[in-house]
Amino acid sequence: MFRQKKRAIEAVDGEVGRHIDYPYRMNLYTAPPLDEITQDEFEQWGLDRLRVLQEIDNALTTKVGDLEKTVRPTIQKFLPLSLGSKRNSDKERKKDHYSHFILRLAFCRSEELRKKFVRLETELFKLRFATDDFKDRNEFLESLEFNWEIASPDEVDRLRSQLLAASGRNTDVADTYYKVDFTQVPYLVESRRVFLKGGKAYVPETLQLTLLTTEYSKLLDESLIKTARAIPRLDEEQRLIPILENLAEKMIWQETSAEEIGHTDTIRANMIDGLAAQKHFPLCMLTMQRKLKTDHVAKYTARRQYGLFLKGIGMGVEDALVYWRSNFAPRIADDKFDKEYRYNIRYLYGLEGSRRNQRPFNCIQIINGDQPRDREESHGCPYKYLAPQALEEKLQSMGITDKQSLSEIRSYNESSLYHLSCTKVYELTHPNDKTVYSERIMTPQAYFQRSWNHAKETPSK
Amino acid sequence: MDFDTLRVYYQRFFPYQDVFLWLNHDRTPQADFLDREIAFTIENAYVRYQSYMNADAFKADVLRLMPTRFEYGPVYSANPRQRKMLPKGACVPVKKEFCLDIDLSDYNSVRTCCTDTAVCNKCWKFATIAIEILNVALREDFGFQNLLWVFSGRRGVHCWVSDAAALTLDEAQRSSIAAYLQVLGTSTQGKLVNLPRPFHPHIARSFGILKSHFKQVVLEEQDPWRSADQAEELLKRLQPADLVARLRSKWGSKEIPSSQRWADIDTETRQLPVSSGSRNSVGDAVLAAKQDIIFEYLYPRLDAAVSRGLNHLLKSPFVVHPSTGKICVALDLKKLDEFDIDAVPRYDAIVKELDATNDITKTSLRDYTEYFRHHVQETLPKKRAADTLDF
Ligand code: SF4
Ligand SMILES: [Zn+2]
């Protein structure tokens, strides 16, 4: 069916057809895909890869300790690439290959998107390389035609003491050194991690991954520029344009703070309790709103998550001060509020301290961040931290009672797909919202936004 | 400045033709000169984005504008004079020499002979050592061959690297060279020297050079720790604490030559009580501290911003320095040891010399311009027989 698309991708990379199979798990994506795929696959595969990249992006910005561990579940779900036996993995490899090229089309349009795409794809590449099995990896490396010159054993022998010193070790010399122009490995030069001689950098095998990833980023960046130049030819492909734009927009969505993409309504301090009661808040924000209203408590993380959420949905700083002050009272007296909390709230608005404009958290950040340790803390994602029983009771109190929905949510939670639970809850609590959303809830602000827009469109009862 | 005399200098002495060849990297005019930005400082105005067809046109404009100084920037992708008429992105920097800048005012914390803008032959040695270290690193490590070192007119030196491979470096690559060569940290509080052991080959080689000069240049001539107060600067950099305590009580408040203090460190270290097995590690720590001090006091201090930018402008060789009147002469490294900073030719002096002899080849600038000419001829592409057969 999809003849035209095939040509689109082909045209963009300007290479002529040959049959591609996938001998290695790793791919440098130098050859464009040639087989036909359906429009649905086109869209779904693009989305799935985007999810993986977004997850990596989130993990990088929140500076999680172990990147691989944090993003593994998402990769497993949306873009698995099994080790070993090629027969079973051909389908995965094909999806990996195609989805990469689909996103290229979506992200080549602006320099900013391009840079981001290269950065995230490079991270993904590194993760995969690190988890690849030894034999596969070596075969893959051998298949590459980078023409890295290998220093001869004689030369290595002659330079041994310098090579050792450059590696910062006294013993245990790697036996293979690649000789590359120093201009290819600036970050190894600047940190003096390689021996330099006559303009050549001697890169030990242990640093091969760095060499490979630079090469990969460079290739990718160059091909994206080429793709961008060729993209006007795609315009005949009417059906693809909205899909590509949607993909690009999702990437930008992540970049933009909520107040920029949001509605233009102003949310006033005295509206909040009503908004929460009208089911406009996702469960996380609802929990924080209730804790604050009934116990007058919001601990540090809750103040940040909830405070930035309120800012994100359109509350100004003056209203925020009014809102927090009245909700902390009577537990926290006015002068104590002025002394201890005023600054923090203004800080969230970029009016104090580093004056950085703080972005509201998205779901992945909230889900991967820490969860409440005691009853006083109210931050975090309830789908994650509540025990199944407690969550069920909570959902029932929100009017979600049918067995089937509850078990669907439970199974999402069991696979750590909390934002799917949240999306499901939105659907169940907004049965009249017939808008077809192309994506799941990915930020609490988006949850609010949907609900708010929907309420504005339906005449109130 | 006396502008009439200056005019004579720029009329008769400034080596326009050699500068043209040097910037053009070839004999017939090509983009490297034609699309090269030249910027003039005229009293308080700064005129950028000038460019010329040839050496004569360039000379004519210098004489017309009588700038107090002029600088060279990058080669652009189109003629920089036309940049306003071209679409955005059509006139961007594409090539430039890789440059280094060393200024002795960055050595104020370690030189005792002069302060601020002043400079003498004693502290000029810091510059000489910097040249020695950087020259060998650029040649041996990075493989560059076409290097021109230039006195910057008052208290520093510039280096211009004109190899084809250097011209096309991007900013990340330029930064990487600068960082490779930059050993001292920039923080005023933090530790200035933080070098992993074993030394990287560049560090090891540099250390060899520094060590050979340290005794004379630092200990004897600068003598930075003579008074008891000054000695605190030394003690501050040493460890362990009991060694520092022994040295402090031994020295009291006396004035002691730095070389004596330096020697005392080893003597006292040897007399530290042996707490079983730790002798070696104490010895290592003292040795490392001494090495760090040598780096801190002598290793080249670079202004990295000049190296990093593709569009950073740098003063022309043979310009007259507006406040010293000295000429920014090119330095022949073979004669670097003989270089006398007090004897650098001044524009007014050589104009007088010319008046006296009426022979331009007999002034004290002659050696420098001859060296420059020779350098440019050496580095131009060799004339090949085939060239003449082509047309
Ligand atoms: S999925 Fe997102 S919006 Fe929903 S409760 Fe969790 S953090 Fe909040
Ligand atoms: Zn001096």
Side-chain angles (χ1 to χ4, degrees):
Chain A
M1 155 197 178
F2 230 92
R3 271 231 67 82
Q4 276 176 301
K5 165 133 22 50
K6 172 193 145 181
R7 258 196 283 115
I9 294 182
E10 209 177 317
V12 160
D13 270 78
E15 238 183 64
V16 226
R18 68 190 151 89
H19 178 68
I20 299 173
D21 59 356
Y22 302 100
Y24 313 107
R25 178 170 171 266
M26 300 290 296
N27 193 334
L28 280 183
Y29 312 105
T30 41
L34 300 172
D35 290 344
E36 298 183 14
I37 58 171
T38 68
Q39 184 163 352
D40 284 349
E41 282 174 323
F42 186 90
E43 177 161 21
Q44 195 53 50
W45 291 0
L47 274 173
D48 285 351
R49 191 180 193 93
L50 181 60
R51 249 183 224 123
V52 167
L53 296 186
Q54 284 177 329
E55 175 78 10
I56 293 175
D57 190 28
N58 277 314
L60 290 173
T61 35
T62 45
K63 298 214 167 59
V64 294
D66 186 344
L67 181 65
E68 202 275 322
K69 219 174 116 218
T70 313
V71 300
R72 195 193 299 148
T74 314
I75 296 187
Q76 279 309 332
K77 172 126 185 80
F78 294 109
L79 206 60
L81 260 189
S82 322
L83 294 171
S85 158
K86 133 178 203 300
R87 188 181 288 276
N88 297 336
S89 38
D90 253 9
K91 251 171 70 191
E92 293 171 352
R93 292 178 186 183
K94 178 173 177 185
K95 178 177 174 186
D96 175 56
H97 183 209
Y98 278 68
S99 61
H100 171 89
F101 274 89
I102 293 163
L103 291 195
R104 273 194 189 185
L105 292 175
F107 293 136
C108 63
R109 290 144 184 250
S110 80
E111 169 154 4
E112 220 185 323
L113 281 173
R114 218 170 61 217
K115 283 215 172 107
K116 180 150 193 162
F117 182 65
V118 171
R119 190 167 63 88
L120 297 176
E121 280 283 336
T122 307
E123 283 303 325
L124 178 62
F125 184 85
K126 278 196 223 163
L127 286 172
R128 290 207 169 135
F129 192 82
T131 54
D132 210 4
D133 79 44
F134 186 72
K135 183 165 156 289
D136 235 35
R137 186 198 300 191
N138 280 346
E139 283 172 10
F140 168 66
L141 284 171
E142 269 164 34
S143 76
L144 303 176
E145 288 154 8
F146 278 143
N147 294 324
W148 292 333
E149 189 188 337
I150 294 182
S152 73
D154 275 1
E155 193 175 9
V156 172
D157 246 15
R158 214 163 354 103
L159 300 173
R160 189 166 293 268
S161 67
Q162 280 126 309
L163 292 170
L164 269 174
S167 72
R169 283 169 310 184
N170 283 318
T171 50
D172 189 31
V173 68
D175 281 318
T176 306
Y177 284 86
Y178 298 99
K179 268 167 83 169
V180 299
D181 286 340
F182 81 89
T183 50
Q184 276 184 272
V185 286
Y187 41 84
L188 294 180
V189 170
E190 100 198 343
S191 49
R192 270 181 243 115
R193 284 199 287 158
V194 284
F195 173 58
L196 292 183
K197 187 164 181 272
K200 293 283 184 194
Y202 289 69
V203 181
E205 200 159 24
T206 46
L207 293 174
Q208 189 183 45
L209 176 58
T210 351
L211 199 59
L212 181 60
T213 49
T214 348
E215 199 78 28
Y216 175 67
S217 320
K218 210 175 78 199
L219 277 175
L220 186 51
D221 195 48
E222 284 164 5
S223 3
L224 284 173
I225 294 171
K226 272 194 223 141
T227 312
R229 285 205 202 103
I231 215 149
R233 278 188 269 157
L234 247 187
D235 283 348
E236 65 206 44
E237 285 289 340
Q238 290 304 331
R239 285 168 303 173
L240 296 185
I241 303 291
I243 301 177
L244 294 175
E245 271 167 6
N246 182 32
L247 286 168
E249 202 174 300
K250 285 209 171 72
M251 195 70 146
I252 296 164
W253 157 264
Q254 260 210 319
E255 286 292 273
T256 327
S257 62
E259 69 259 67
E260 282 160 318
I261 54 109
H263 52 86
T264 51
D265 308 306
T266 309
I267 303 295
R268 308 303 307 260
N270 59 10
M271 291 162 66
I272 296 297
D273 294 345
L275 292 173
Q278 288 157 37
K279 306 181 175 169
H280 287 321
F281 284 13
L283 193 49
C284 53
M285 297 303 156
L286 190 63
T287 308
M288 290 184 250
Q289 182 264 341
R290 289 211 185 130
K291 182 78 186 167
L292 182 59
K293 188 173 162 59
T294 45
D295 298 343
H296 316 292
V297 169
K299 295 291 183 197
Y300 176 77
T301 312
R303 289 201 301 275
R304 282 176 56 81
Q305 289 181 357
Y306 187 42
L308 287 172
F309 167 75
L310 293 177
K311 175 179 128 174
I313 64 172
M315 186 187 265
V317 65
E318 289 310 320
D319 273 274
L321 289 167
V322 171
Y323 174 74
W324 286 98
R325 184 192 298 274
S326 65
N327 272 275
F328 272 143
R331 200 177 62 84
I332 292 166
D334 267 7
D335 56 335
K336 181 163 179 208
F337 178 86
D338 282 337
K339 241 187 278 147
E340 289 173 23
Y341 297 100
R342 218 183 124 77
Y343 178 93
N344 291 312
I345 291 158
R346 287 173 50 80
Y347 183 87
L348 297 180
Y349 282 79
L351 299 168
E352 302 281 0
S354 64
R355 297 188 175 256
R356 246 188 51 232
N357 192 16
Q358 316 252 341
R359 272 162 43 183
F361 293 97
N362 60 36
C363 293
I364 295 167
Q365 290 168 318
I366 295 175
I367 290 167
N368 288 341
D370 58 62
Q371 306 298 324
R373 279 160 301 189
D374 56 41
R375 301 177 65 92
E376 290 301 276
E377 293 190 326
S378 53
H379 63 265
C381 176
Y383 298 105
K384 178 169 186 185
Y385 68 75
L386 285 181
Q389 192 53 38
L391 179 64
E392 228 144 84
E393 280 162 23
K394 186 145 262 174
L395 294 173
Q396 277 161 353
S397 76
M398 293 163 70
I400 300 169
T401 47
D402 78 288
K403 282 263 158 353
Q404 208 196 319
S405 304
L406 288 172
S407 86
E408 189 182 334
I409 293 171
R410 185 191 273 253
S411 78
Y412 285 142
N413 290 341
E414 277 162 5
S415 340
S416 305
L417 297 165
Y418 309 110
H419 64 302
L420 297 193
S421 301
C422 194
T423 310
K424 182 75 190 168
V425 168
Y426 177 86
E427 287 161 7
L428 293 167
T429 52
H430 297 75
N432 296 321
D433 184 358
K434 299 276 183 257
T435 323
V436 182
Y437 296 105
S438 59
E439 66 169 10
R440 283 70 179 258
I441 302 280
M442 292 173 80
T443 71
Q445 297 73 251
Y447 191 106
F448 174 84
Q449 183 91 33
R450 278 182 199 188
S451 183
W452 177 254
N453 288 348
H454 172 61
K456 281 206 300 187
E457 281 154 21
T458 29
S460 58
K461 302 164 247 175
Chain B
M1 290 230 273
D2 168 2
F3 277 87
D4 290 336
T5 315
L6 194 61
R7 182 179 300 277
V8 178
Y9 173 75
Y10 282 124
Q11 170 86 45
R12 308 280 313 266
F13 288 91
F14 188 87
Y16 296 95
Q17 180 60 23
D18 292 326
V19 163
F20 157 76
L21 291 170
W22 175 64
L23 291 175
N24 187 55
H25 311 120
D26 206 345
R27 291 177 180 82
T28 43
Q30 59 173 352
D32 291 19
F33 185 78
L34 298 173
D35 296 339
R36 164 88 62 170
E37 173 177 4
I38 300 181
F40 297 94
T41 307
I42 305 157
E43 287 164 41
N44 294 322
Y46 192 39
V47 186
R48 287 195 57 182
Y49 305 112
Q50 304 305 300
S51 61
Y52 299 95
M53 295 293 291
N54 52 40
D56 289 343
F58 175 32
K59 177 174 183 177
D61 236 15
V62 170
L63 295 175
R64 180 176 68 85
L65 296 166
M66 280 309 291
T68 49
R69 57 190 257 179
F70 45 91
E71 298 170 299
Y72 304 129
V75 180
Y76 283 77
S77 53
N79 194 313
R81 280 183 189 268
Q82 280 153 22
R83 80 203 177 286
K84 287 222 176 101
M85 292 173 276
L86 296 167
K88 199 167 170 272
C91 187
V92 291
V94 286
K95 274 175 155 192
K96 200 190 134 250
E97 290 74 8
F98 175 74
C99 298
L100 294 177
D101 179 17
I102 299 154
D103 190 311
L104 288 177
S105 59
D106 288 330
Y107 287 72
N108 282 343
S109 60
V110 293
R111 55 179 187 158
T112 56
C113 52
C114 304
T115 51
D116 298 329
T117 56
V119 56
C120 67
N121 277 317
K122 269 191 201 166
C123 52
W124 174 253
K125 290 202 179 138
F126 286 112
T128 315
I129 294 166
I131 294 172
E132 188 178 349
I133 287 193
L134 299 170
N135 190 55
V136 63
L138 289 170
R139 286 176 190 275
E140 288 187 3
D141 300 358
F142 293 97
F144 296 132
Q145 283 156 17
N146 186 349
L147 273 57
L148 183 73
W149 292 89
V150 181
F151 172 55
S152 65
R154 180 150 66 186
R155 45 164 195 212
V157 276
H158 295 156
C159 175
W160 297 76
V161 184
S162 306
D163 294 75
L167 297 174
T168 52
L169 294 169
D170 65 24
E171 300 209 338
Q173 292 159 344
R174 286 169 201 262
S175 301
S176 77
I177 306 177
Y180 179 91
L181 298 174
Q182 186 99 317
V183 163
L184 302 185
T186 42
S187 147
T188 38
Q189 292 100 358
K191 206 159 174 283
L192 226 45
V193 185
N194 199 353
L195 291 169
R197 271 50 174 199
F199 283 154
H200 179 278
H202 164 64
I203 301 300
R205 178 188 55 213
S206 301
F207 182 69
I209 298 173
L210 298 180
K211 226 175 116 189
S212 70
H213 295 289
F214 184 72
K215 187 165 177 294
Q216 191 201 337
V217 174
V218 175
L219 295 180
E220 286 164 15
E221 293 176 6
Q222 296 291 337
D223 196 5
W225 309 304
R226 193 172 187 89
S227 76
D229 273 356
Q230 287 173 319
E232 285 301 316
E233 287 297 320
L234 174 59
L235 291 171
K236 200 159 88 183
R237 289 165 172 78
L238 291 173
Q239 52 157 327
D242 43 347
L243 170 67
V244 174
R246 289 177 77 100
L247 286 168
R248 190 173 278 128
S249 71
K250 172 174 181 144
W251 291 341
S253 59
K254 287 191 293 279
E255 279 211 353
I256 301 172
S258 299
S259 52
Q260 183 59 51
R261 296 199 201 264
W262 189 252
D264 285 350
I265 298 172
D266 286 343
T267 329
E268 290 302 310
T269 304
R270 259 179 259 118
Q271 286 173 20
L272 284 177
V274 194
S275 55
S276 59
S278 72
R279 155 96 25 169
N280 272 343
S281 64
V282 170
D284 285 351
V286 174
L287 181 67
K290 286 174 68 181
Q291 291 172 336
D292 284 357
I293 292 169
I294 294 176
F295 273 101
E296 182 180 344
Y297 276 73
L298 267 190
Y299 189 85
R301 300 182 172 207
L302 288 173
D303 178 355
V306 175
S307 305
R308 284 192 215 113
L310 185 55
N311 52 7
H312 204 287
L313 296 131
L314 200 61
K315 195 157 41 149
S316 168
F318 294 100
V319 147
V320 174
H321 190 285
S323 39
T324 62
K326 287 178 182 169
I327 295 162
C328 300
V329 291
L331 298 171
D332 181 354
L333 297 200
K334 285 195 210 81
K335 299 184 192 157
L336 193 59
D337 289 342
E338 301 155 28
F339 183 82
D340 177 356
I341 198 159
D342 298 322
V344 178
R346 292 175 50 90
Y347 74 105
D348 42 4
I350 59 164
V351 169
K352 255 188 221 126
E353 289 174 32
L354 177 64
D355 284 348
T357 61
N358 223 347
D359 182 351
I360 196 120
T361 65
K362 295 250 157 68
T363 73
S364 51
L365 187 64
R366 183 69 177 178
D367 278 356
Y368 298 101
T369 47
E370 277 303 297
Y371 166 71
F372 183 55
R373 163 163 312 167
H374 180 74
H375 167 82
V376 171
Q377 289 301 329
E378 287 273 281
T379 53
L380 280 175
K382 299 281 164 283
K383 281 196 188 126
R384 287 166 302 156
D387 286 348
T388 52
L389 300 174
D390 266 358
F391 292 99

